Amino acid sequence: MERSEEALTQELAREHEAEEPIRLGPLTMDRRAFLNLISVGLGGLLALPIAVPFLGFLLQPILMKAPTRWESIGKLDEFQIGSTVQRDVTDPSSLPWGGMANRTAVFVRRESQKELIAFSVNCTHLGCPLRWEAGAELFLCPCHGGVFYRNGQVAGGPPPRPMVRYPVRVRNGGVEVMALPSVLGVE
Amino acid sequence: MRFPFVRYLQVIWDAADERLGISTVWNATARHPIPREKGFMAWTYVLGSMTLTSFIVLVVTGIALATVYIPSTGQAYDSLQYITNVAPMGSILRGLHVWSASAMVICIGLHMIQVFLIGAYKYPREVNWLTGAALLALTMGMAFTGQLLRWDNIAYWSIFILAQQAARFPVLGPWLVDFLLAGHTIGGTTLSRFYAFHVFFIPAAIFALIGVHLYLVIYHGISESPKLGRVVDPKTYKHWYHSLLEREGVPFWPDGVWRDVVASFVLVLIVLAVAMFYGPPHLDKPPDPTDLVAQPKPDWYFQWIFALLALSPHLFEDWLIIGGPLVTGLIIILVPFLSNRGERHFARRPWAVGTVVASFLLVFVLTFEGTRAPWVPSYDAQPLPRSVVASNNPLVVQGANLFKTKGCEACHTIDGYGGTRGPDLSYIGEDLTAGQIIWRIQNGGTNMPSYAGTLTPQEQDALTAFLLTRKRPPVEQAGREQKGTSRHRTRGSEAGR
Ligand code: FES
C-alpha cells in the first residue's frame, strides 16, 4: 500500500513543476468576463452594508463630543492660601458600569485670596500620575523622572510642557472645576 | 495476523478515508519532504513550532479565562481577584496564560533571529518573512493589550501612557487617542475595547497569518541550512532545491516533527512549572484614578521602551516615539527586498551578524536600565539617621532634616540614603564651597529644580551648613569605617577611586 518515500518526494516535485501559474484574463468583455464582473461587483457591494455600521460603530468615539460640567469640589475656605491639595471629581461622561474609572483627581492650588489653579494630575510627558511633595513644593513623576514647580512649570526631566490646567471658578463661596473632558486636557 | 480486528479497522478506515480524503491532505502536509538536517542546526528549526505551541496554549487558557473575566472597568479587577484567589485552578490558568505569552514573545524573537542569520528569508521565501514580521507585530500587540486587561492600578496608568504616545502623532494624534480609548478619556468603554482587540481582532489576524505562513512553508518547502559559499540565485534555486529534496529529502512527519514535539513539550513543562511555583503576576492596587501613589511599569518585554523614554534626549523624543516603531517596522519589511539572493551563511554576512548583536545589546542594556530605573525619585526615602548626620550643631541638624522634607533626598543619596536621580552628595562638602552650594540650590540645573522661593534664607543657611559637613572621613578613621555597614564601605571606596 505505502508508496516508497522516494517515489513520494519525486511525485511531489513533479507535481510542483507541472503547476500552471494563474494568468489574468483578456480585457475584452465576453460572457465569462461579464459573469466575473457581476460576481466581484456584487460581492464587493455586499460588504458595504456590513462595513459601514461596523466602521461607524468603532469610529464613533472620534465623532462624539465630550460633555463638560462644572463640578463642585468644596468651599473656598477649605483651601488655604499657598497650599496644594488633591480633590476627586466624577467624569461627566461616566457610564453606569464604569466603576472607579468614572472618577478622576485634580490638584487644586490656592495662590492668593482670589486666585485658584486646578491642575490635571497627569504628567505632560506620558501621563503618569504626579505626586505633590508638599515640603519640596514640587510635583514629582514616578515614571521617567519629570519634575514640576508648584505653578506647574517644568523643573526637570522629559516633560515638554507645563502641567495642564482646568478651568476653575468660585460660585457662592464654593469652588467648582470644569470636569475632565479629555486625557489630553481641555479641548 | 495476530489481531484480526485490525483488518476490520482497516476496512472502516479505508471507507472513511475515501470519503474524507484524509490521506491526501496528510501526505501533502504532514509528510511533505524536508531537507535532511543533523545536529545543532536541526534543533534551531524548532523555534517556529515552539511559537505556535505557546500560541495554542494562549488560546486554550484564554478561552477558559474569558468564561469568568468581566471586561468592564467597574468589575474586571474583582473578577481577576476571583480568578486568582477563589476559582479552582484559576491561579495556574492565569499563570499559564501570562508565562506562555512571555514564551511566545521569546520564541518568536529567536525564530526571527534564526531565520535572519541563516538567510532563510531569501528567494523564494520573502513573503514567509513578511508574514512572520506581521505576526511579530501582532504578538507584541497581544502582549500589550493583555497587560492592560490585568486591570489594576498599573494597567490604568499604562493606558494613559499609550494614549499620550499616540497623541504625539501629527494631525491624527487626537483621533487616534479617541479611537484607542473609545472616548476622550478612560471610561466605561475603554476596557471592553481593549478586550475586543485582545480576544477577537488580533487573534483573528494571527490565525489568518499563521495559515498563510504555514501554507508558504509547505509551498516553498522548509529552507535548507546554509553552507559556506552556497549562494541563492533566483534563476536556479527552485530547481536546485527540488533536486536536493529528491536526492535526500525526508518526510516532515516523523523525521522532522519529533524535534518540534520534544522542544514544545519541554517548553510547556517549563511554563507550567513557572505557573505553578511562581504563579501569575501579582495584582497591584485596584485601578483607582484618584489613588496617585502608583508606579506604572510595563511587563519585561516593554521595559526597554520604558527606559528609552526616560533616557532619550528630550528634543528628539517626538521623533523617537513616532519614528522609532515606523522605522524599525520599515527596516524589518525591507530586509528581504534589500538582499533576496547571494550568500546565506552568517559567517559571510558580517552586517547581518552585526545588526543582530547590536540590536540585542541595545535592548539588553535598556531592559537592564529599565529594571533599575535610577531616574525614579525615591519617594519613601528614610530621613537621615543621627549616625549619618553626626553632628550636634542645631543648624546642621536642621539642615539634615530639610534635606528630607524639602525633597532633596528623593533624588540625592547621602551615605546610602536617598534617590539616585541626581549626584551622590555624600562628600559634597569637599567639592563645592558654600557659595557654590547656595548658587546651585537657588538656581537649579538641567534636571534640578530651582529652590529660590521655596527655602527661606534661614533654611538655605541650615541646608548649606549641613552639606558643608559632608566630607570623606579622615584616613585614620578609614579603618574604623570598614566595620560600618557594607553600603557605607562601597560608598567610601567608590569615592576613593
Ligand atoms: S510620564 Fe512623567 S516623566 Fe514620563
Side-chain angles (χ1 to χ4, degrees):
Chain A
M1 284 286 295
E2 268 255 24
R3 280 172 297 177
S4 82
E5 262 156 38
E6 250 148 286
L8 177 77
T9 45
Q10 275 173 15
E11 186 185 320
L12 279 177
R14 241 179 287 120
E15 258 172 33
H16 194 91
E17 267 157 7
E19 265 164 33
E20 281 251 346
I22 300 168
R23 303 213 173 280
L24 299 176
L27 285 175
T28 50
M29 180 75 81
D30 58 10
R31 180 169 167 277
R32 285 227 167 107
F34 178 69
L35 294 179
N36 186 19
L37 193 73
I38 292 241
S39 306
V40 173
L42 277 186
L45 229 52
L46 187 67
L48 262 187
I50 306 160
V52 170
F54 178 85
L55 289 177
F57 187 73
L58 283 182
L59 296 178
Q60 48 136 6
I62 297 178
L63 309 172
M64 263 179 351
K65 256 197 87 55
T68 53
R69 183 170 66 206
W70 287 99
E71 283 268 325
S72 162
I73 50 168
K75 292 251 165 296
L76 180 60
D77 35 319
E78 289 168 23
F79 299 88
Q80 280 164 21
I81 293 179
S83 80
T84 301
V85 290
Q86 182 190 335
R87 283 287 185 270
D88 303 339
V89 293
T90 304
D91 185 340
S93 52
S94 296
L95 292 167
W97 60 88
M100 287 177 180
N102 288 340
R103 300 203 297 155
T104 312
V106 288
F107 287 123
V108 183
R109 173 172 185 81
R110 187 159 182 197
E111 273 287 86
S112 61
Q113 193 57 36
K114 288 247 177 74
E115 198 189 347
L116 283 152
I117 312 176
F119 292 110
S120 148
V121 294
N122 299 109
C123 181
T124 55
H125 179 225
L126 292 174
C128 285
L130 293 168
R131 272 188 239 178
W132 170 246
E133 294 290 306
E137 304 211 287
L138 294 170
F139 295 97
L140 296 186
C141 179
C143 283
H144 318 100
V147 186
F148 298 85
Y149 291 117
R150 57 174 177 245
N151 63 0
Q153 295 299 318
V154 179
R161 279 183 306 278
M163 287 162 70
V164 170
R165 295 182 179 203
Y166 293 125
V168 59
R169 69 182 187 189
V170 181
R171 277 277 163 105
N172 311 323
V175 181
E176 294 177 348
V177 62
M178 169 87 89
L180 301 177
S182 151
V183 291
L184 303 175
V186 186
E187 283 182 345
Chain B
M1 273 268 154
R2 289 279 295 279
F3 305 108
F5 65 87
V6 170
R7 217 169 348 125
Y8 301 118
L9 279 184
Q10 185 68 50
V11 171
I12 296 172
W13 166 254
D14 285 346
D17 192 23
E18 196 186 346
R19 282 152 185 89
L20 297 171
I22 296 170
S23 295
T24 319
V25 176
W26 178 255
N27 286 335
T29 53
R31 290 186 65 83
H32 76 280
I34 59 169
R36 199 190 295 273
E37 303 289 352
K38 277 200 287 296
F40 174 75
M41 269 327 269
W43 283 98
T44 62
Y45 282 82
V46 301
L47 289 164
S49 312
M50 288 167 82
T51 311
L52 183 60
T53 303
S54 356
F55 180 65
I56 293 170
V57 175
L58 282 163
V59 171
V60 174
T61 52
I63 289 173
L65 289 171
T67 59
V68 172
Y69 181 77
I70 305 175
S72 134
T73 45
Q75 287 166 317
Y77 186 78
D78 294 332
S79 68
L80 279 166
Q81 291 284 6
Y82 175 80
I83 290 173
T84 315
N85 302 322
V86 183
M89 313 282 274
S91 165
I92 290 188
L93 210 58
R94 255 196 76 208
L96 279 174
H97 196 70
V98 171
W99 298 117
S100 42
S102 284
M104 186 171 174
V105 170
I106 294 174
C107 290
I108 200 171
L110 291 178
H111 183 42
M112 180 161 109
I113 292 175
Q114 169 239 3
V115 163
F116 182 65
L117 282 181
I118 68 169
Y121 61 86
K122 299 199 175 196
Y123 179 89
R125 301 188 180 84
E126 294 96 329
V127 184
N128 299 39
W129 171 269
L130 293 179
T131 48
L135 282 166
L136 174 74
L138 291 171
T139 304
M140 295 322 267
M142 285 303 272
F144 189 75
T145 49
Q147 192 193 316
L148 299 182
L149 295 190
R150 195 190 315 140
W151 188 240
D152 57 11
N153 191 293
I154 290 176
Y156 177 86
W157 295 106
S158 300
I159 295 192
F160 254 100
I161 297 172
L162 173 75
Q164 293 286 342
Q165 288 184 64
R168 304 275 184 108
F169 255 86
V171 189
L172 290 181
W175 291 352
L176 220 52
V177 171
D178 294 350
F179 176 75
L180 283 171
L181 302 185
H184 303 279
T185 184
I186 299 179
T189 45
T190 309
L191 188 61
S192 39
R193 170 157 300 215
F194 281 108
Y195 180 76
F197 274 96
H198 188 76
V199 306
F200 295 119
F201 289 82
I202 309 181
I206 290 184
F207 273 116
L209 278 167
I210 287 180
V212 178
H213 198 73
L214 291 184
Y215 160 74
L216 287 174
V217 166
I218 291 174
Y219 178 68
H220 293 303
I222 207 87
S223 87
E224 77 288 357
S225 55
K227 213 157 130 200
L228 267 180
R230 190 162 70 198
V231 294
V232 175
D233 179 357
K235 279 202 209 70
T236 55
Y237 179 80
K238 274 197 173 183
H239 185 78
W240 174 84
Y241 179 75
H242 286 294
S243 58
L244 173 83
L245 287 188
E246 258 168 57
R247 263 183 288 117
E248 52 184 70
V250 291
F252 171 66
W253 187 289
D255 289 46
V257 76
W258 72 271
R259 286 193 190 83
D260 295 303
V261 176
V262 169
S264 298
F265 183 79
V266 173
L267 179 80
V268 173
L269 226 52
I270 294 173
V271 169
L272 182 67
V274 179
M276 285 175 67
F277 299 118
Y278 185 80
H282 158 79
L283 283 174
D284 207 66
K285 291 186 287 183
D288 183 352
T290 62
D291 180 356
L292 303 179
V293 181
Q295 184 73 66
K297 227 178 184 192
D299 282 354
W300 67 265
Y301 25 76
F302 290 114
Q303 211 121 90
W304 63 283
I305 300 181
F306 168 68
L308 201 60
L309 290 172
L311 298 174
S312 70
H314 309 160
L315 262 184
F316 306 133
E317 198 178 66
D318 276 358
W319 294 100
L320 202 75
I321 289 175
I322 302 159
L326 287 183
V327 171
T328 313
L330 200 68
I331 291 175
I332 292 178
I333 290 172
L334 280 180
V335 161
F337 296 100
L338 291 178
S339 70
N340 75 336
R341 60 186 66 209
E343 187 70 57
R344 276 184 51 188
H345 201 280
F346 40 86
R348 293 262 169 89
R349 291 164 56 226
W351 282 101
V353 178
T355 312
V356 169
V357 172
S359 332
F360 191 81
L361 277 182
L362 183 75
V363 170
F364 185 80
V365 168
L366 283 173
T367 304
F368 181 74
E369 275 299 285
T371 323
R372 274 194 337 131
W375 53 82
V376 170
S378 161
Y379 293 102
D380 40 11
Q382 295 300 309
L384 299 175
R386 284 197 75 103
S387 59
V388 169
V389 180
S391 167
N392 289 323
N393 180 342
L395 197 64
V396 171
V397 172
Q398 186 202 355
N401 287 336
L402 289 169
F403 190 74
K404 163 70 187 163
T405 55
K406 291 296 174 184
C408 316
E409 211 184 323
C411 297
H412 295 284
T413 294
I414 284 187
D415 281 355
Y417 292 88
T420 47
R421 171 101 165 110
D424 186 325
L425 300 184
S426 297
Y427 306 120
I428 191 69
E430 285 181 11
D431 302 333
L432 297 187
T433 64
Q436 287 167 322
I437 290 177
I438 294 172
W439 192 89
R440 181 31 67 96
I441 293 176
Q442 289 292 313
N443 293 299
T446 322
N447 275 324
M448 156 124 184
S450 134
Y451 276 84
T454 308
L455 294 170
T456 65
Q458 195 276 333
E459 287 172 335
Q460 172 70 68
D461 287 348
L463 200 50
T464 317
F466 165 64
L467 290 175
L468 283 173
T469 66
R470 296 309 313 173
K471 297 207 162 109
R472 237 170 241 112
V475 186
E476 58 268 28
Q477 279 185 11
R480 257 181 285 153
E481 281 289 316
Q482 295 282 317
K483 291 190 203 106
T485 63
S486 61
R487 283 210 89 144
H488 221 107
R489 239 178 295 143
T490 24
R491 293 277 161 213
S493 58
E494 231 168 62
R497 253 183 261 143

